[in-house]
Amino acid sequence: METNTNTIYDHVRTDFETSPFFNLLGFELRSITEDEVILELPIERKLLNTHGSLHGGVYATMIDNIISLKMRSMIGSPVITINLTINYIAPITSGKIIAKAFVYGEGKRTKMGEGIVMDENGKLLAKGSGTFKVIKSKEQ
């Protein structure tokens, strides 16, 4: 595993920014540092449900991605989702949403985290928690 933190951040950023699904939805990785990873998503018509508000699957995808980003920035290894639970708190119809994550647990192969999604004013829209499996590369 690489020990240079900036190199880890560069790899994580490249992996996510070149992901076809990540790009399809329009995610923007605003910050990736030791202390914080911030993901944003401008709300477009294609992301709305039949009621005209942001589709719940978008919240779930964003929370899954922000927790994964935070874990990868901390450990430098890919992770896959084992379990994800989402709590929907408030709808949004326009503007952009912002996500942040928190990671906890000392397991070597299994990590846990929480993600939150807010509007531009910091109003909580959704939160979720997940369990993730660390995927070790052949070099590790």
Side-chain angles (χ1 to χ4, degrees):
M1 181 170 114
E2 295 169 316
T3 56
N4 183 329
T5 303
N6 288 331
T7 303
I8 291 171
Y9 297 157
D10 290 342
H11 282 292
V12 172
R13 181 179 289 279
T14 299
D15 280 354
F16 277 83
E17 289 180 346
T18 58
S19 163
F21 186 64
F22 197 82
N23 287 309
L24 175 69
L25 292 179
F27 288 122
E28 299 170 4
L29 182 52
R30 289 292 179 208
S31 173
I32 182 167
T33 67
E34 182 177 340
D35 298 323
E36 186 171 66
V37 178
I38 299 175
L39 189 59
E40 291 183 359
L41 179 65
I43 297 173
E44 299 179 43
R45 183 168 162 32
K46 68 181 180 181
L47 302 175
L48 302 180
N49 62 25
T50 57
H51 304 291
S53 61
L54 189 65
H55 191 283
V58 177
Y59 289 113
T61 300
M62 191 166 196
I63 289 170
D64 186 31
N65 276 278
I66 194 64
I67 297 171
S68 296
L69 280 162
K70 180 65 175 172
M71 285 182 184
R72 288 193 60 190
S73 73
M74 293 172 65
I75 63 176
S77 296
V79 297
I80 57 172
T81 309
I82 296 173
N83 182 328
L84 189 66
T85 301
I86 308 298
N87 295 296
Y88 301 98
I89 298 164
I92 189 169
T93 58
S94 63
K96 69 178 162 183
I97 55 174
I98 301 158
K100 295 181 181 182
F102 312 94
V103 173
Y104 48 89
E106 298 297 322
K108 291 185 180 192
R109 293 191 170 256
T110 305
K111 301 283 186 191
M112 293 176 285
E114 295 181 347
I116 59 170
V117 176
M118 305 164 288
D119 69 9
E120 297 171 90
N121 298 314
K123 178 182 176 185
L124 185 63
L125 304 172
K127 64 186 287 186
S129 60
T131 305
F132 295 75
K133 180 179 178 182
V134 177
I135 305 301
K136 297 290 183 182
S137 67
K138 293 178 182 175
E139 297 88 37
Q140 294 178 319

PDB file of all heavy atoms in Angstrom, residues 112-130:
ATOM      1  N   MET A 112     -17.168   0.488   9.376  1.00  0.00           N
ATOM      2  CA  MET A 112     -18.507   1.060   9.450  1.00  0.00           C
ATOM      3  C   MET A 112     -18.417   2.562   9.312  1.00  0.00           C
ATOM      4  O   MET A 112     -17.407   3.176   9.658  1.00  0.00           O
ATOM      5  CB  MET A 112     -19.158   0.696  10.777  1.00  0.00           C
ATOM      6  CG  MET A 112     -19.439  -0.799  10.905  1.00  0.00           C
ATOM      7  SD  MET A 112     -20.096  -1.230  12.518  1.00  0.00           S
ATOM      8  CE  MET A 112     -18.636  -1.123  13.521  1.00  0.00           C
ATOM      9  N   GLY A 113     -19.495   3.144   8.789  1.00  0.00           N
ATOM     10  CA  GLY A 113     -19.508   4.589   8.640  1.00  0.00           C
ATOM     11  C   GLY A 113     -20.922   5.127   8.577  1.00  0.00           C
ATOM     12  O   GLY A 113     -21.890   4.375   8.443  1.00  0.00           O
ATOM     13  N   GLU A 114     -21.000   6.441   8.694  1.00  0.00           N
ATOM     14  CA  GLU A 114     -22.265   7.151   8.579  1.00  0.00           C
ATOM     15  C   GLU A 114     -22.087   8.282   7.591  1.00  0.00           C
ATOM     16  O   GLU A 114     -21.021   8.886   7.513  1.00  0.00           O
ATOM     17  CB  GLU A 114     -22.686   7.727   9.941  1.00  0.00           C
ATOM     18  CG  GLU A 114     -22.995   6.684  10.972  1.00  0.00           C
ATOM     19  CD  GLU A 114     -23.427   7.296  12.299  1.00  0.00           C
ATOM     20  OE1 GLU A 114     -23.261   8.518  12.496  1.00  0.00           O
ATOM     21  OE2 GLU A 114     -23.927   6.534  13.132  1.00  0.00           O
ATOM     22  N   GLY A 115     -23.152   8.565   6.860  1.00  0.00           N
ATOM     23  CA  GLY A 115     -23.136   9.671   5.930  1.00  0.00           C
ATOM     24  C   GLY A 115     -24.353  10.546   6.141  1.00  0.00           C
ATOM     25  O   GLY A 115     -25.410  10.061   6.557  1.00  0.00           O
ATOM     26  N   ILE A 116     -24.180  11.837   5.876  1.00  0.00           N
ATOM     27  CA  ILE A 116     -25.297  12.761   5.943  1.00  0.00           C
ATOM     28  C   ILE A 116     -25.394  13.528   4.633  1.00  0.00           C
ATOM     29  O   ILE A 116     -24.382  13.775   3.973  1.00  0.00           O
ATOM     30  CB  ILE A 116     -25.174  13.743   7.133  1.00  0.00           C
ATOM     31  CG1 ILE A 116     -23.879  14.560   7.039  1.00  0.00           C
ATOM     32  CG2 ILE A 116     -25.266  13.001   8.448  1.00  0.00           C
ATOM     33  CD1 ILE A 116     -23.804  15.700   8.039  1.00  0.00           C
ATOM     34  N   VAL A 117     -26.621  13.870   4.272  1.00  0.00           N
ATOM     35  CA  VAL A 117     -26.874  14.699   3.093  1.00  0.00           C
ATOM     36  C   VAL A 117     -27.625  15.931   3.565  1.00  0.00           C
ATOM     37  O   VAL A 117     -28.624  15.822   4.282  1.00  0.00           O
ATOM     38  CB  VAL A 117     -27.703  13.945   2.027  1.00  0.00           C
ATOM     39  CG1 VAL A 117     -28.036  14.860   0.857  1.00  0.00           C
ATOM     40  CG2 VAL A 117     -26.958  12.711   1.545  1.00  0.00           C
ATOM     41  N   MET A 118     -27.117  17.098   3.162  1.00  0.00           N
ATOM     42  CA  MET A 118     -27.698  18.378   3.562  1.00  0.00           C
ATOM     43  C   MET A 118     -27.981  19.226   2.327  1.00  0.00           C
ATOM     44  O   MET A 118     -27.405  18.987   1.264  1.00  0.00           O
ATOM     45  CB  MET A 118     -26.707  19.144   4.436  1.00  0.00           C
ATOM     46  CG  MET A 118     -26.214  18.407   5.652  1.00  0.00           C
ATOM     47  SD  MET A 118     -24.722  19.189   6.347  1.00  0.00           S
ATOM     48  CE  MET A 118     -23.498  18.752   5.122  1.00  0.00           C
ATOM     49  N   ASP A 119     -28.806  20.255   2.519  1.00  0.00           N
ATOM     50  CA  ASP A 119     -28.960  21.228   1.450  1.00  0.00           C
ATOM     51  C   ASP A 119     -27.847  22.272   1.595  1.00  0.00           C
ATOM     52  O   ASP A 119     -26.992  22.164   2.479  1.00  0.00           O
ATOM     53  CB  ASP A 119     -30.366  21.846   1.439  1.00  0.00           C
ATOM     54  CG  ASP A 119     -30.658  22.757   2.628  1.00  0.00           C
ATOM     55  OD1 ASP A 119     -29.744  23.087   3.424  1.00  0.00           O
ATOM     56  OD2 ASP A 119     -31.831  23.163   2.755  1.00  0.00           O
ATOM     57  N   GLU A 120     -27.861  23.286   0.749  1.00  0.00           N
ATOM     58  CA  GLU A 120     -26.809  24.300   0.757  1.00  0.00           C
ATOM     59  C   GLU A 120     -26.772  25.120   2.039  1.00  0.00           C
ATOM     60  O   GLU A 120     -25.765  25.746   2.351  1.00  0.00           O
ATOM     61  CB  GLU A 120     -26.982  25.235  -0.443  1.00  0.00           C
ATOM     62  CG  GLU A 120     -26.833  24.515  -1.767  1.00  0.00           C
ATOM     63  CD  GLU A 120     -27.207  25.389  -2.934  1.00  0.00           C
ATOM     64  OE1 GLU A 120     -26.303  26.082  -3.457  1.00  0.00           O
ATOM     65  OE2 GLU A 120     -28.393  25.376  -3.332  1.00  0.00           O
ATOM     66  N   ASN A 121     -27.867  25.128   2.798  1.00  0.00           N
ATOM     67  CA  ASN A 121     -27.939  25.878   4.054  1.00  0.00           C
ATOM     68  C   ASN A 121     -27.645  25.016   5.270  1.00  0.00           C
ATOM     69  O   ASN A 121     -27.761  25.476   6.396  1.00  0.00           O
ATOM     70  CB  ASN A 121     -29.319  26.524   4.196  1.00  0.00           C
ATOM     71  CG  ASN A 121     -29.588  27.509   3.086  1.00  0.00           C
ATOM     72  OD1 ASN A 121     -28.738  28.329   2.752  1.00  0.00           O
ATOM     73  ND2 ASN A 121     -30.760  27.422   2.494  1.00  0.00           N
ATOM     74  N   GLY A 122     -27.305  23.753   5.054  1.00  0.00           N
ATOM     75  CA  GLY A 122     -26.976  22.863   6.156  1.00  0.00           C
ATOM     76  C   GLY A 122     -28.155  22.111   6.736  1.00  0.00           C
ATOM     77  O   GLY A 122     -28.007  21.414   7.742  1.00  0.00           O
ATOM     78  N   LYS A 123     -29.327  22.224   6.116  1.00  0.00           N
ATOM     79  CA  LYS A 123     -30.504  21.488   6.598  1.00  0.00           C
ATOM     80  C   LYS A 123     -30.328  20.004   6.294  1.00  0.00           C
ATOM     81  O   LYS A 123     -30.065  19.624   5.152  1.00  0.00           O
ATOM     82  CB  LYS A 123     -31.757  22.010   5.921  1.00  0.00           C
ATOM     83  CG  LYS A 123     -33.024  21.261   6.318  1.00  0.00           C
ATOM     84  CD  LYS A 123     -34.239  21.784   5.574  1.00  0.00           C
ATOM     85  CE  LYS A 123     -35.468  20.960   5.898  1.00  0.00           C
ATOM     86  NZ  LYS A 123     -36.621  21.400   5.088  1.00  0.00           N
ATOM     87  N   LEU A 124     -30.508  19.160   7.290  1.00  0.00           N
ATOM     88  CA  LEU A 124     -30.352  17.719   7.123  1.00  0.00           C
ATOM     89  C   LEU A 124     -31.507  17.155   6.304  1.00  0.00           C
ATOM     90  O   LEU A 124     -32.670  17.371   6.624  1.00  0.00           O
ATOM     91  CB  LEU A 124     -30.294  17.038   8.493  1.00  0.00           C
ATOM     92  CG  LEU A 124     -30.008  15.551   8.504  1.00  0.00           C
ATOM     93  CD1 LEU A 124     -28.619  15.249   7.923  1.00  0.00           C
ATOM     94  CD2 LEU A 124     -30.108  15.004   9.920  1.00  0.00           C
ATOM     95  N   LEU A 125     -31.177  16.429   5.228  1.00  0.00           N
ATOM     96  CA  LEU A 125     -32.175  15.845   4.334  1.00  0.00           C
ATOM     97  C   LEU A 125     -32.255  14.331   4.462  1.00  0.00           C
ATOM     98  O   LEU A 125     -33.324  13.747   4.320  1.00  0.00           O
ATOM     99  CB  LEU A 125     -31.862  16.209   2.881  1.00  0.00           C
ATOM    100  CG  LEU A 125     -31.756  17.697   2.566  1.00  0.00           C
ATOM    101  CD1 LEU A 125     -31.254  17.903   1.151  1.00  0.00           C
ATOM    102  CD2 LEU A 125     -33.091  18.388   2.798  1.00  0.00           C
ATOM    103  N   ALA A 126     -31.106  13.696   4.697  1.00  0.00           N
ATOM    104  CA  ALA A 126     -31.052  12.234   4.828  1.00  0.00           C
ATOM    105  C   ALA A 126     -29.779  11.860   5.569  1.00  0.00           C
ATOM    106  O   ALA A 126     -28.800  12.603   5.555  1.00  0.00           O
ATOM    107  CB  ALA A 126     -31.083  11.562   3.466  1.00  0.00           C
ATOM    108  N   LYS A 127     -29.841  10.704   6.215  1.00  0.00           N
ATOM    109  CA  LYS A 127     -28.636  10.178   6.849  1.00  0.00           C
ATOM    110  C   LYS A 127     -28.671   8.667   6.715  1.00  0.00           C
ATOM    111  O   LYS A 127     -29.736   8.069   6.556  1.00  0.00           O
ATOM    112  CB  LYS A 127     -28.500  10.633   8.296  1.00  0.00           C
ATOM    113  CG  LYS A 127     -29.581  10.151   9.227  1.00  0.00           C
ATOM    114  CD  LYS A 127     -29.460  10.754  10.618  1.00  0.00           C
ATOM    115  CE  LYS A 127     -28.308  10.170  11.364  1.00  0.00           C
ATOM    116  NZ  LYS A 127     -28.214  10.592  12.754  1.00  0.00           N
ATOM    117  N   GLY A 128     -27.511   8.086   6.745  1.00  0.00           N
ATOM    118  CA  GLY A 128     -27.459   6.644   6.608  1.00  0.00           C
ATOM    119  C   GLY A 128     -26.219   6.073   7.245  1.00  0.00           C
ATOM    120  O   GLY A 128     -25.281   6.792   7.572  1.00  0.00           O
ATOM    121  N   SER A 129     -26.244   4.767   7.421  1.00  0.00           N
ATOM    122  CA  SER A 129     -25.083   4.073   7.969  1.00  0.00           C
ATOM    123  C   SER A 129     -24.837   2.827   7.141  1.00  0.00           C
ATOM    124  O   SER A 129     -25.752   2.280   6.526  1.00  0.00           O
ATOM    125  CB  SER A 129     -25.309   3.714   9.440  1.00  0.00           C
ATOM    126  OG  SER A 129     -26.433   2.871   9.570  1.00  0.00           O
ATOM    127  N   GLY A 130     -23.591   2.409   7.133  1.00  0.00           N
ATOM    128  CA  GLY A 130     -23.259   1.237   6.343  1.00  0.00           C
ATOM    129  C   GLY A 130     -22.089   0.463   6.894  1.00  0.00           C
ATOM    130  O   GLY A 130     -21.294   0.978   7.680  1.00  0.00           O
TER     131      GLY A 130
END
